[in-house]
Amino acid sequence: MSGLPAARRTVLKGAALAGVGGLGAAACSTDSKVGHAQTPTPTAPVDLGAPEGIPVGGAKLFREQRLLVHRPAQGEYRAFSAQCTHAGCVLDKIVENEGNCPCHGSRFDVTTGKSLKGPATVPLPEVPVRVEGGKLIAGPEA
């Protein structure tokens, strides 16, 4: 490249770095159809089905809706975004009350949303959740 004008070398270096950055973004995507969302929390009410599907003391991951719901006690629910706060990947599983990010290994406490293992350091955003008409509804009121 030494025979190229300085401005051309700068453009080529920038293109090479952009290509590397693009690979990083591709590595963060998952096989899921959900991908990354601009807004990690619902902007409209989301029907999650029967509340009984979540065991007392446990949690359930709703990947397609990008949500996870914890049921601390009978009739009580807490919901969080299931989109990792590091690079936006959707959590893929819950193991021993920890949500796992498949992209870089971040782990989150599903009872509080707190980041337990990095690279994510920011907790998962909490989402309003309620039982309405026998269904679990997450997100803002209609």
Side-chain angles (χ1 to χ4, degrees):
M1 270 200 220
S2 60
L4 296 174
R8 176 128 168 92
R9 278 196 306 267
T10 302
V11 169
L12 291 175
K13 279 184 186 177
L17 290 176
V20 171
L23 288 175
C28 291
S29 64
T30 65
D31 293 331
S32 171
K33 295 176 189 153
V34 295
H36 303 293
Q38 290 290 94
T39 307
T41 58
T43 56
V46 178
D47 181 348
L48 300 175
E52 295 78 28
I54 303 165
V56 173
K60 183 174 179 181
L61 182 62
F62 296 86
R63 284 198 87 222
E64 294 301 317
Q65 294 84 1
R66 295 182 186 90
L67 294 167
L68 70 83
V69 179
H70 168 62
R71 186 177 185 183
Q74 187 67 32
E76 292 180 30
Y77 301 90
R78 283 188 82 183
F80 301 92
S81 169
Q83 189 168 315
C84 181
T85 57
H86 169 247
C89 297
V90 178
L91 305 182
D92 67 344
K93 62 186 171 186
I94 297 172
V95 178
E96 297 178 7
N97 279 339
E98 291 184 10
N100 178 70
C101 178
C103 295
H104 301 108
S106 292
R107 303 283 288 223
F108 298 90
D109 182 329
V110 299
T111 67
T112 64
K114 180 181 174 186
S115 171
L116 300 172
K117 178 183 175 218
T121 57
V122 175
L124 298 171
E126 192 155 3
V127 175
V129 64
R130 63 200 170 280
V131 177
E132 194 174 280
K135 294 182 178 186
L136 198 58
I137 306 293
E141 301 268 344

